[in-house]
Each structure stands twice: as structure tokens, then as C-alpha cells.
Amino acid sequence: MRRLFVAALLLLVAGCSGGENAVPGGGKIDALLAKAPVYSGQVTAGSAVDRIRKRGKLLIGGSQDAPLLSQLDPISGELTGFDAYLGKLLAHYIVGSPRTELLSATSETREPLLANGTVDVIIQTYTITPQRAERVAFAGPYYQSGQSIAVRKGTSGITKPADLAGKTVIVGANTPGVKAVRDAAPTAQIVEFGSDPECLTALKQGRGEAYVQDQAILVADAAKDGELQLVGEPFTEDPYGIGIRHGDAEFTEFVDDWLREIGKSGLWQEVWKQTIGTVVTGDVPSPPAIAS
């Protein structure tokens, strides 16, 4: 019975697919692809890379409604964002073209999608944890997220966590931001609100000088709200990995090697600048150490 339920669930998820993205969508991805490597080494028969090459496209579990990370552009019909562009670059590395197909995934369906071979990878701000690593293999981390600081655009004097000292800081109630602020700036006055929209409203009303939240949430907020500005880099650790079917050490190592290559060449940094970096101030971060 459970197998039938999972099979039906996967069919439903596949039906919600964002579809194929066979043609690059505009200048940003074209510029990235012009610098992107293509794997030229030997491929093991029957391996994940071999199967993807024969299929001619990379199957990705992810999202199409996460601004600056993986969002469907209603005009071009293409996926844009940090995760989306990395997916296309990985496809280009394996297949020689950025042919991908997105299947919508949720926190409940990510692992079944991998286990059943419905997708090749999950690229969806997938935080690496010891518990998840018992069920999923992770390449990466490919991005270091965590608690970050947002302010009203034009605010001065807050560029790092220590600058929160003595200031009124908005956080979501019962979120990791509460402890993060207390650890970074013990003299800050913390004001808690029940949801992200409430926190944003309070910030814009001047009920606090800064808002601390997970960077992935703040990036999406800033993409929709021009009054919001992110400052500095995340100051707690929340590493995102590329999910791979559990036990596939060969493919995991292959993707790790690709991540190292685009990190050394500067391509990872270019992806960041064209996506997350459009709303986050400060220097371009360094890619996280692979397998850290």
C-alpha cells in the first residue's frame, strides 16, 4: 500500500513539473555558459553520468517560485536564479548543453524523488544535516547560508553582526534568529513577531533598526520589496548541498569535482553576482569548501 502511495505521489509531482528548459533564457545564462566547462573524461558505463548523457538532459528536483534562487520567468518561460543557473551549468558540464527538466519538490517528496530515480539531483536550498545524510548523499556544500541582516534601504551604521549592539532588532518568534542575535550582540533589544510578513512590516514601520532571518528568506523578500536591503554575509552556518541518491559515491564525487572547478574558475562567483548578489551588499563571498 505504501509503495502505491509513493508511486501516486511521484506521478502527481511529475505532473506539476516546471517543464523543460532546453534553450537558454537570455543574456545572463548565455554569458555564464560561454565560460562553463564540459566534462571530457571517461564515463563509467551504467553510471549516473552515463544515464544522464544518454537521456540528453538533467532531471532536477527543485522549485519555480523562489525569487533569485529558482523562479519561473513569466515572460521568457525560463527558470532564473542561483539554484536554477547552477542546475543548467551542471547539465552543460555533463551533456554539453544546458538541457534540464524541473520536477517540483517539497521537503516531503525530495527523498522519494531521489530514491526512486525520478530525478538525478535536488537543487533546492537543501540544508545538509547528519539526519538527512543517513538517507541522501550530498555534494557540496555549494552555498553557505544562515542568519543574515536586513535593513531599510539607506540605513547606515549596520554592516556586520557586531553593529547590532544596543539596537532594536526584529526577529521571527521561536526562530534561530533569536539565539543568533543574542550570541552576536548581547546588548541588542530583540523584538519578536510571528511571521516573516509581520517582521517586514515592523521593519518598514521603524519598530526596529534591523531584521535578522535566514538569508534565503531575506533574498526572496528583497527581490519583491525595493525598500529592503541585505547587508554583509550570513553569520551562522546553514550549508546547502546538492542532493544525490544515497550510496552513489561516484556521482557525488563527480559533482564535487565540478563544484571545485567552477569555484576556482570564478564561475560560481559570477552566478552569485547575477542572482543573490543583486540584493546583497558587500563583497562576493568565497564558495564554501567542498565536503566541509
Side-chain angles (χ1 to χ4, degrees):
M1 185 70 178
R2 180 175 176 80
R3 290 182 180 177
L4 290 174
F5 172 76
V6 171
L9 176 65
L10 294 177
L11 286 172
L12 175 63
V13 171
C16 296
S17 166
E20 292 190 14
N21 294 279
V23 181
K28 287 185 177 181
I29 187 62
D30 287 344
L32 295 171
L33 289 169
K35 305 175 184 177
V38 177
Y39 182 69
S40 59
Q42 292 186 334
V43 176
T44 303
S47 65
V49 173
D50 185 44
R51 293 194 301 272
I52 295 165
R53 280 191 168 181
K54 288 177 178 176
R55 186 193 306 128
K57 62 183 176 183
L58 180 69
L59 303 179
I60 300 173
S63 305
Q64 57 180 3
D65 58 359
L68 296 180
L69 294 166
S70 183
Q71 184 176 38
L72 191 66
D73 186 321
I75 297 175
S76 69
E78 296 297 324
L79 284 172
T80 62
F82 187 79
D83 285 355
Y85 289 165
L86 285 183
K88 291 183 180 184
L89 292 174
L90 178 57
H92 183 76
Y93 186 66
I94 298 172
V95 180
S97 70
R99 292 197 67 215
T100 65
E101 182 176 345
L102 178 80
L103 290 94
S104 297
T106 68
S107 57
E108 291 81 15
T109 62
R110 286 185 296 209
E111 289 161 18
L113 287 170
L114 285 171
N116 286 271
T118 304
V119 300
D120 302 309
V121 293
I122 298 287
I123 308 179
Q124 191 186 32
T125 60
Y126 201 2
T127 303
I128 301 170
T129 68
Q131 293 77 19
R132 286 174 174 166
E134 294 177 358
R135 302 182 297 273
V136 176
F138 282 105
Y142 70 91
Y143 190 72
Q144 186 69 55
S145 187
Q147 298 299 303
S148 293
I149 303 168
V151 298
R152 295 184 300 279
K153 186 161 285 187
T155 298
S156 59
I158 299 177
T159 60
K160 57 187 182 298
D163 295 334
L164 300 175
K167 294 183 171 61
T168 301
V169 181
I170 296 165
V171 296
N174 302 313
T175 67
V178 178
K179 183 179 185 300
V181 174
R182 286 176 179 159
D183 290 346
T187 61
Q189 179 182 349
I190 296 175
V191 181
E192 299 181 42
F193 293 91
S195 68
D196 176 56
E198 289 176 284
C199 291
L200 289 174
T201 298
L203 179 66
K204 290 196 285 187
Q205 290 176 343
R207 298 165 72 181
E209 295 156 276
Y211 171 30
V212 171
Q213 178 60 275
D214 183 87
Q215 192 192 58
I217 295 175
L218 293 179
V219 162
D221 289 337
K224 296 179 288 187
D225 191 333
E227 294 182 50
L228 194 67
Q229 178 176 307
L230 275 66
V231 294
E233 297 181 25
F235 60 96
T236 63
E237 294 185 355
D238 193 2
Y240 295 158
I242 295 177
I244 292 170
R245 187 172 184 173
H246 190 259
D248 195 340
E250 182 179 357
F251 190 39
T252 303
E253 184 177 354
F254 178 91
V255 178
D256 277 341
D257 288 342
W258 167 73
L259 286 170
R260 290 188 185 96
E261 185 170 349
I262 64 171
K264 290 178 181 177
S265 70
L267 186 58
W268 183 97
Q269 293 86 335
E270 287 296 319
V271 176
W272 186 91
K273 285 193 290 186
Q274 292 189 17
T275 56
I276 297 171
T278 61
V279 299
V280 178
T281 63
D283 297 333
V284 179
S286 299
I290 303 303
S292 58

Short mmCIF file of all heavy atoms in Angstrom, two decimals, residues 36-89:
data_model
loop_
_atom_site.label_atom_id
_atom_site.label_comp_id
_atom_site.label_asym_id
_atom_site.label_seq_id
_atom_site.Cartn_x
_atom_site.Cartn_y
_atom_site.Cartn_z
N ALA A 36 31.48 28.21 -19.25
CA ALA A 36 31.23 26.98 -18.50
C ALA A 36 32.02 25.79 -19.06
O ALA A 36 32.10 25.61 -20.28
CB ALA A 36 29.74 26.67 -18.51
N PRO A 37 32.56 24.95 -18.19
CA PRO A 37 33.30 23.77 -18.64
C PRO A 37 32.37 22.63 -19.06
O PRO A 37 31.21 22.58 -18.65
CB PRO A 37 34.10 23.37 -17.40
CG PRO A 37 33.25 23.81 -16.25
CD PRO A 37 32.59 25.09 -16.72
N VAL A 38 32.89 21.73 -19.87
CA VAL A 38 32.20 20.50 -20.25
C VAL A 38 33.12 19.34 -19.92
O VAL A 38 34.31 19.37 -20.25
CB VAL A 38 31.85 20.48 -21.76
CG1 VAL A 38 31.20 19.15 -22.14
CG2 VAL A 38 30.91 21.63 -22.11
N TYR A 39 32.60 18.33 -19.27
CA TYR A 39 33.42 17.19 -18.85
C TYR A 39 33.91 16.41 -20.06
O TYR A 39 33.14 16.08 -20.97
CB TYR A 39 32.61 16.27 -17.93
CG TYR A 39 33.39 15.10 -17.40
CD1 TYR A 39 34.42 15.28 -16.48
CD2 TYR A 39 33.10 13.80 -17.83
CE1 TYR A 39 35.14 14.21 -15.99
CE2 TYR A 39 33.81 12.72 -17.35
CZ TYR A 39 34.83 12.93 -16.42
OH TYR A 39 35.55 11.85 -15.95
N SER A 40 35.20 16.10 -20.08
CA SER A 40 35.79 15.40 -21.23
C SER A 40 36.45 14.09 -20.83
O SER A 40 37.10 13.45 -21.65
CB SER A 40 36.82 16.31 -21.92
OG SER A 40 37.85 16.69 -21.02
N GLY A 41 36.29 13.69 -19.57
CA GLY A 41 36.92 12.46 -19.11
C GLY A 41 36.11 11.22 -19.45
O GLY A 41 35.06 11.28 -20.10
N GLN A 42 36.59 10.08 -19.00
CA GLN A 42 35.90 8.82 -19.23
C GLN A 42 34.68 8.71 -18.33
O GLN A 42 34.66 9.21 -17.21
CB GLN A 42 36.84 7.64 -18.98
CG GLN A 42 37.98 7.52 -20.01
CD GLN A 42 38.79 6.26 -19.82
OE1 GLN A 42 38.86 5.71 -18.71
NE2 GLN A 42 39.41 5.78 -20.88
N VAL A 43 33.67 8.03 -18.84
CA VAL A 43 32.41 7.84 -18.10
C VAL A 43 32.18 6.34 -17.91
O VAL A 43 32.25 5.57 -18.87
CB VAL A 43 31.22 8.46 -18.85
CG1 VAL A 43 29.92 8.17 -18.14
CG2 VAL A 43 31.42 9.97 -19.00
N THR A 44 31.89 5.94 -16.68
CA THR A 44 31.62 4.53 -16.38
C THR A 44 30.28 4.11 -16.97
O THR A 44 29.27 4.81 -16.77
CB THR A 44 31.60 4.31 -14.86
OG1 THR A 44 32.84 4.75 -14.31
CG2 THR A 44 31.38 2.84 -14.52
N ALA A 45 30.27 3.00 -17.70
CA ALA A 45 29.03 2.51 -18.28
C ALA A 45 28.00 2.22 -17.18
O ALA A 45 28.32 1.59 -16.17
CB ALA A 45 29.29 1.24 -19.09
N GLY A 46 26.79 2.70 -17.38
CA GLY A 46 25.72 2.47 -16.42
C GLY A 46 25.71 3.41 -15.24
O GLY A 46 24.81 3.33 -14.39
N SER A 47 26.67 4.32 -15.17
CA SER A 47 26.72 5.28 -14.07
C SER A 47 25.68 6.36 -14.24
O SER A 47 25.04 6.48 -15.30
CB SER A 47 28.11 5.92 -13.99
OG SER A 47 28.35 6.71 -15.15
N ALA A 48 25.50 7.18 -13.21
CA ALA A 48 24.55 8.29 -13.29
C ALA A 48 24.90 9.22 -14.44
O ALA A 48 24.02 9.66 -15.19
CB ALA A 48 24.52 9.05 -11.97
N VAL A 49 26.17 9.55 -14.59
CA VAL A 49 26.59 10.44 -15.67
C VAL A 49 26.29 9.81 -17.03
O VAL A 49 25.81 10.48 -17.95
CB VAL A 49 28.09 10.77 -15.55
CG1 VAL A 49 28.58 11.54 -16.77
CG2 VAL A 49 28.37 11.56 -14.28
N ASP A 50 26.52 8.51 -17.16
CA ASP A 50 26.24 7.80 -18.40
C ASP A 50 24.74 7.86 -18.72
O ASP A 50 24.34 8.14 -19.86
CB ASP A 50 26.70 6.35 -18.28
CG ASP A 50 26.56 5.57 -19.58
OD1 ASP A 50 26.91 6.11 -20.65
OD2 ASP A 50 26.09 4.42 -19.53
N ARG A 51 23.90 7.64 -17.72
CA ARG A 51 22.45 7.67 -17.93
C ARG A 51 21.98 9.06 -18.33
O ARG A 51 21.13 9.22 -19.22
CB ARG A 51 21.72 7.21 -16.66
CG ARG A 51 21.94 5.75 -16.30
CD ARG A 51 20.95 5.28 -15.25
NE ARG A 51 21.03 6.06 -14.02
CZ ARG A 51 21.85 5.78 -13.01
NH1 ARG A 51 22.68 4.75 -13.09
NH2 ARG A 51 21.84 6.52 -11.92
N ILE A 52 22.52 10.08 -17.68
CA ILE A 52 22.12 11.45 -18.00
C ILE A 52 22.54 11.82 -19.42
O ILE A 52 21.77 12.43 -20.17
CB ILE A 52 22.74 12.43 -16.98
CG1 ILE A 52 22.16 12.17 -15.58
CG2 ILE A 52 22.49 13.88 -17.39
CD1 ILE A 52 22.95 12.83 -14.46
N ARG A 53 23.74 11.41 -19.80
CA ARG A 53 24.21 11.70 -21.16
C ARG A 53 23.32 11.04 -22.21
O ARG A 53 22.98 11.65 -23.23
CB ARG A 53 25.65 11.24 -21.32
CG ARG A 53 26.67 12.21 -20.75
CD ARG A 53 28.07 11.83 -21.18
NE ARG A 53 29.02 12.89 -20.88
CZ ARG A 53 30.30 12.83 -21.17
NH1 ARG A 53 30.80 11.77 -21.78
NH2 ARG A 53 31.09 13.84 -20.87
N LYS A 54 22.97 9.79 -21.96
CA LYS A 54 22.15 9.07 -22.93
C LYS A 54 20.75 9.67 -23.02
O LYS A 54 20.14 9.70 -24.09
CB LYS A 54 22.08 7.59 -22.55
CG LYS A 54 23.38 6.85 -22.81
CD LYS A 54 23.31 5.40 -22.36
CE LYS A 54 24.63 4.69 -22.68
NZ LYS A 54 24.63 3.28 -22.17
N ARG A 55 20.23 10.16 -21.90
CA ARG A 55 18.92 10.81 -21.88
C ARG A 55 18.98 12.17 -22.56
O ARG A 55 18.02 12.63 -23.15
CB ARG A 55 18.45 10.97 -20.44
CG ARG A 55 17.04 11.50 -20.30
CD ARG A 55 16.75 11.94 -18.87
NE ARG A 55 17.01 10.93 -17.89
CZ ARG A 55 17.77 11.10 -16.80
NH1 ARG A 55 18.34 12.27 -16.57
NH2 ARG A 55 17.96 10.13 -15.95
N GLY A 56 20.12 12.85 -22.42
CA GLY A 56 20.30 14.15 -23.05
C GLY A 56 19.85 15.33 -22.25
O GLY A 56 19.82 16.47 -22.75
N LYS A 57 19.49 15.11 -21.00
CA LYS A 57 19.09 16.23 -20.13
C LYS A 57 19.22 15.80 -18.67
O LYS A 57 19.22 14.61 -18.35
CB LYS A 57 17.66 16.69 -20.42
CG LYS A 57 16.60 15.63 -20.17
CD LYS A 57 15.22 16.15 -20.56
CE LYS A 57 14.15 15.05 -20.40
NZ LYS A 57 12.83 15.51 -20.83
N LEU A 58 19.32 16.80 -17.79
CA LEU A 58 19.44 16.58 -16.35
C LEU A 58 18.08 16.78 -15.70
O LEU A 58 17.43 17.80 -15.91
CB LEU A 58 20.46 17.56 -15.76
CG LEU A 58 20.73 17.48 -14.26
CD1 LEU A 58 21.48 16.18 -13.93
CD2 LEU A 58 21.54 18.69 -13.80
N LEU A 59 17.64 15.81 -14.92
CA LEU A 59 16.36 15.90 -14.20
C LEU A 59 16.62 16.44 -12.80
O LEU A 59 17.35 15.83 -12.02
CB LEU A 59 15.69 14.53 -14.11
CG LEU A 59 15.43 13.82 -15.45
CD1 LEU A 59 14.79 12.46 -15.21
CD2 LEU A 59 14.56 14.68 -16.36
N ILE A 60 15.99 17.58 -12.50
CA ILE A 60 16.26 18.29 -11.25
C ILE A 60 14.99 18.38 -10.42
O ILE A 60 13.93 18.77 -10.91
CB ILE A 60 16.78 19.71 -11.53
CG1 ILE A 60 18.08 19.66 -12.34
CG2 ILE A 60 17.00 20.48 -10.22
CD1 ILE A 60 18.57 21.03 -12.80
N GLY A 61 15.11 18.05 -9.14
CA GLY A 61 14.03 18.33 -8.20
C GLY A 61 14.28 19.68 -7.58
O GLY A 61 15.38 19.95 -7.07
N GLY A 62 13.28 20.57 -7.64
CA GLY A 62 13.51 21.91 -7.13
C GLY A 62 12.24 22.73 -7.08
O GLY A 62 11.14 22.19 -6.97
N SER A 63 12.41 24.03 -7.16
CA SER A 63 11.29 24.97 -7.04
C SER A 63 11.24 25.87 -8.26
O SER A 63 12.23 26.03 -8.98
CB SER A 63 11.45 25.84 -5.79
OG SER A 63 11.60 25.05 -4.63
N GLN A 64 10.09 26.49 -8.46
CA GLN A 64 9.99 27.51 -9.51
C GLN A 64 9.33 28.77 -8.98
O GLN A 64 8.85 29.60 -9.75
CB GLN A 64 9.21 26.96 -10.71
CG GLN A 64 7.82 26.47 -10.40
CD GLN A 64 7.12 25.95 -11.66
OE1 GLN A 64 7.69 25.91 -12.74
NE2 GLN A 64 5.87 25.56 -11.51
N ASP A 65 9.32 28.91 -7.65
CA ASP A 65 8.69 30.09 -7.05
C ASP A 65 9.55 30.73 -5.98
O ASP A 65 9.04 31.37 -5.06
CB ASP A 65 7.33 29.72 -6.47
CG ASP A 65 7.41 28.62 -5.42
OD1 ASP A 65 8.52 28.12 -5.16
OD2 ASP A 65 6.36 28.26 -4.85
N ALA A 66 10.88 30.55 -6.09
CA ALA A 66 11.80 31.12 -5.10
C ALA A 66 12.61 32.23 -5.76
O ALA A 66 13.58 31.96 -6.48
CB ALA A 66 12.73 30.05 -4.54
N PRO A 67 12.24 33.51 -5.57
CA PRO A 67 12.94 34.61 -6.23
C PRO A 67 14.44 34.60 -5.98
O PRO A 67 14.90 34.36 -4.86
CB PRO A 67 12.29 35.85 -5.60
CG PRO A 67 10.93 35.40 -5.18
CD PRO A 67 11.12 33.97 -4.73
N LEU A 68 15.19 34.84 -7.05
CA LEU A 68 16.66 34.90 -7.06
C LEU A 68 17.32 33.55 -6.80
O LEU A 68 18.54 33.45 -6.85
CB LEU A 68 17.18 35.93 -6.06
CG LEU A 68 16.80 37.38 -6.35
CD1 LEU A 68 17.38 38.30 -5.29
CD2 LEU A 68 17.26 37.82 -7.73
N LEU A 69 16.54 32.52 -6.57
CA LEU A 69 17.09 31.18 -6.37
C LEU A 69 16.64 30.24 -7.49
O LEU A 69 17.47 29.69 -8.20
CB LEU A 69 16.66 30.64 -5.00
CG LEU A 69 17.24 31.41 -3.81
CD1 LEU A 69 16.53 31.04 -2.51
CD2 LEU A 69 18.74 31.13 -3.68
N SER A 70 15.34 30.07 -7.64
CA SER A 70 14.82 29.26 -8.74
C SER A 70 13.37 29.68 -8.99
O SER A 70 12.46 29.20 -8.33
CB SER A 70 14.89 27.77 -8.38
OG SER A 70 14.47 26.97 -9.47
N GLN A 71 13.21 30.59 -9.92
CA GLN A 71 11.90 31.17 -10.19
C GLN A 71 11.61 31.15 -11.68
O GLN A 71 12.50 31.45 -12.50
CB GLN A 71 11.81 32.60 -9.66
CG GLN A 71 10.43 33.22 -9.82
CD GLN A 71 10.37 34.61 -9.20
OE1 GLN A 71 11.31 35.38 -9.29
NE2 GLN A 71 9.25 34.93 -8.57
N LEU A 72 10.38 30.80 -12.03
CA LEU A 72 9.98 30.78 -13.43
C LEU A 72 9.68 32.19 -13.90
O LEU A 72 8.85 32.89 -13.32
CB LEU A 72 8.75 29.89 -13.60
CG LEU A 72 8.35 29.55 -15.04
CD1 LEU A 72 9.42 28.69 -15.69
CD2 LEU A 72 7.00 28.83 -15.04
N ASP A 73 10.40 32.62 -14.94
CA ASP A 73 10.16 33.94 -15.52
C ASP A 73 8.89 33.87 -16.37
O ASP A 73 8.85 33.12 -17.35
CB ASP A 73 11.36 34.33 -16.38
CG ASP A 73 11.26 35.76 -16.91
OD1 ASP A 73 10.15 36.18 -17.28
OD2 ASP A 73 12.31 36.44 -16.96
N PRO A 74 7.86 34.63 -16.02
CA PRO A 74 6.59 34.52 -16.76
C PRO A 74 6.69 35.01 -18.21
O PRO A 74 5.86 34.65 -19.04
CB PRO A 74 5.64 35.40 -15.96
CG PRO A 74 6.52 36.38 -15.23
CD PRO A 74 7.78 35.63 -14.93
N ILE A 75 7.69 35.82 -18.49
CA ILE A 75 7.82 36.36 -19.86
C ILE A 75 8.57 35.38 -20.76
O ILE A 75 8.12 35.01 -21.84
CB ILE A 75 8.53 37.73 -19.83
CG1 ILE A 75 7.69 38.74 -19.03
CG2 ILE A 75 8.77 38.23 -21.26
CD1 ILE A 75 8.35 40.08 -18.85
N SER A 76 9.75 34.94 -20.29
CA SER A 76 10.57 34.05 -21.11
C SER A 76 10.21 32.59 -20.94
O SER A 76 10.53 31.76 -21.79
CB SER A 76 12.05 34.24 -20.76
OG SER A 76 12.32 33.75 -19.45
N GLY A 77 9.54 32.26 -19.82
CA GLY A 77 9.23 30.86 -19.55
C GLY A 77 10.42 30.07 -19.06
O GLY A 77 10.37 28.84 -18.99
N GLU A 78 11.50 30.76 -18.70
CA GLU A 78 12.72 30.11 -18.26
C GLU A 78 12.92 30.24 -16.76
O GLU A 78 12.48 31.22 -16.14
CB GLU A 78 13.94 30.72 -18.97
CG GLU A 78 13.95 30.52 -20.47
CD GLU A 78 14.02 29.06 -20.88
OE1 GLU A 78 14.71 28.29 -20.17
OE2 GLU A 78 13.39 28.70 -21.87
N LEU A 79 13.60 29.27 -16.17
CA LEU A 79 13.96 29.35 -14.77
C LEU A 79 15.17 30.26 -14.60
O LEU A 79 16.14 30.18 -15.37
CB LEU A 79 14.29 27.97 -14.22
CG LEU A 79 13.11 27.04 -13.94
CD1 LEU A 79 13.62 25.65 -13.60
CD2 LEU A 79 12.26 27.58 -12.80
N THR A 80 15.11 31.13 -13.61
CA THR A 80 16.22 32.02 -13.31
C THR A 80 16.57 31.92 -11.84
O THR A 80 15.74 31.50 -11.02
CB THR A 80 15.86 33.49 -13.64
OG1 THR A 80 14.76 33.89 -12.81
CG2 THR A 80 15.46 33.64 -15.10
N GLY A 81 17.79 32.30 -11.50
CA GLY A 81 18.19 32.30 -10.10
C GLY A 81 19.43 31.45 -9.85
O GLY A 81 19.90 30.73 -10.73
N PHE A 82 19.95 31.56 -8.65
CA PHE A 82 21.21 30.91 -8.28
C PHE A 82 21.13 29.39 -8.45
O PHE A 82 21.95 28.79 -9.13
CB PHE A 82 21.57 31.27 -6.84
CG PHE A 82 22.92 30.81 -6.40
CD1 PHE A 82 24.06 31.51 -6.77
CD2 PHE A 82 23.06 29.68 -5.60
CE1 PHE A 82 25.32 31.09 -6.36
CE2 PHE A 82 24.32 29.26 -5.19
CZ PHE A 82 25.45 29.96 -5.57
N ASP A 83 20.13 28.76 -7.83
CA ASP A 83 19.98 27.32 -7.95
C ASP A 83 19.69 26.91 -9.40
O ASP A 83 20.23 25.91 -9.90
CB ASP A 83 18.85 26.81 -7.05
CG ASP A 83 19.24 26.80 -5.58
OD1 ASP A 83 20.42 27.08 -5.26
OD2 ASP A 83 18.37 26.49 -4.75
N ALA A 84 18.82 27.66 -10.06
CA ALA A 84 18.45 27.32 -11.44
C ALA A 84 19.65 27.38 -12.38
O ALA A 84 19.83 26.50 -13.22
CB ALA A 84 17.35 28.27 -11.92
N TYR A 85 20.47 28.42 -12.24
CA TYR A 85 21.63 28.55 -13.11
C TYR A 85 22.67 27.48 -12.83
O TYR A 85 23.30 26.94 -13.75
CB TYR A 85 22.25 29.94 -12.98
CG TYR A 85 21.41 31.06 -13.59
CD1 TYR A 85 21.66 32.39 -13.29
CD2 TYR A 85 20.38 30.77 -14.47
CE1 TYR A 85 20.90 33.41 -13.84
CE2 TYR A 85 19.62 31.79 -15.03
CZ TYR A 85 19.88 33.10 -14.70
OH TYR A 85 19.11 34.11 -15.26
N LEU A 86 22.85 27.14 -11.55
CA LEU A 86 23.78 26.05 -11.24
C LEU A 86 23.30 24.75 -11.87
O LEU A 86 24.11 23.96 -12.38
CB LEU A 86 23.93 25.88 -9.73
CG LEU A 86 24.78 26.92 -9.00
CD1 LEU A 86 24.89 26.57 -7.52
CD2 LEU A 86 26.18 27.06 -9.61
N GLY A 87 21.99 24.50 -11.84
CA GLY A 87 21.45 23.30 -12.47
C GLY A 87 21.74 23.26 -13.96
O GLY A 87 22.12 22.21 -14.51
N LYS A 88 21.58 24.39 -14.64
CA LYS A 88 21.85 24.43 -16.07
C LYS A 88 23.34 24.26 -16.36
O LYS A 88 23.73 23.61 -17.35
CB LYS A 88 21.33 25.74 -16.65
CG LYS A 88 19.82 25.84 -16.67
CD LYS A 88 19.33 27.12 -17.33
CE LYS A 88 17.80 27.19 -17.33
NZ LYS A 88 17.28 28.36 -18.03
N LEU A 89 24.17 24.82 -15.50
CA LEU A 89 25.62 24.68 -15.70
C LEU A 89 26.07 23.25 -15.45
O LEU A 89 26.99 22.75 -16.12
CB LEU A 89 26.37 25.65 -14.78
CG LEU A 89 26.21 27.13 -15.11
CD1 LEU A 89 26.87 28.00 -14.04
CD2 LEU A 89 26.78 27.46 -16.48
#
